[in-house]
Amino acid sequence: MAIIKTENLTFRYENTDRDVIRDMNIEIEQCSFVVVLGHNCCGKSTFVSLLHAILLPTGGKDYVEGIGTNVET
């Protein structure tokens, strides 16, 4: 079972016309070593904030240990 899973995860900040994350599908198994790399302002911190439910997705779903972090789940 994946410890972190996303299904078509999408996020857009208010007052913008561009998705920061669009249709992200990922499964991370327990005890995996994963690195999130990218340029400045590419969505790394936004992704982690979504996993911690600091931000809520504007589309799709995300799960941490099988529990949905978005309101609809």
Side-chain angles (χ1 to χ4, degrees), residues 7-72:
E7 297 174 350
N8 300 318
L9 185 66
T10 300
F11 182 79
R12 177 182 294 190
Y13 285 101
E14 291 182 25
N15 303 322
T16 63
D17 60 352
R18 187 174 69 100
D19 295 333
V20 177
I21 295 173
R22 183 181 311 128
D23 295 326
M24 175 188 262
N25 293 295
I26 189 169
E27 288 190 24
I28 300 173
E29 298 295 326
Q30 188 170 1
C31 298
S32 296
F33 183 79
V34 178
V35 178
V36 180
L37 296 173
H39 297 283
N40 293 343
C41 301
C42 72
K44 301 179 302 287
S45 296
T46 300
F47 175 59
V48 172
S49 294
L50 287 163
L51 295 179
H52 286 280
I54 295 169
L55 298 172
L56 298 176
T58 54
K61 297 180 180 180
D62 57 339
Y63 303 92
V64 177
E65 294 185 0
I67 300 170
T69 61
N70 49 341
V71 175
E72 298 173 4

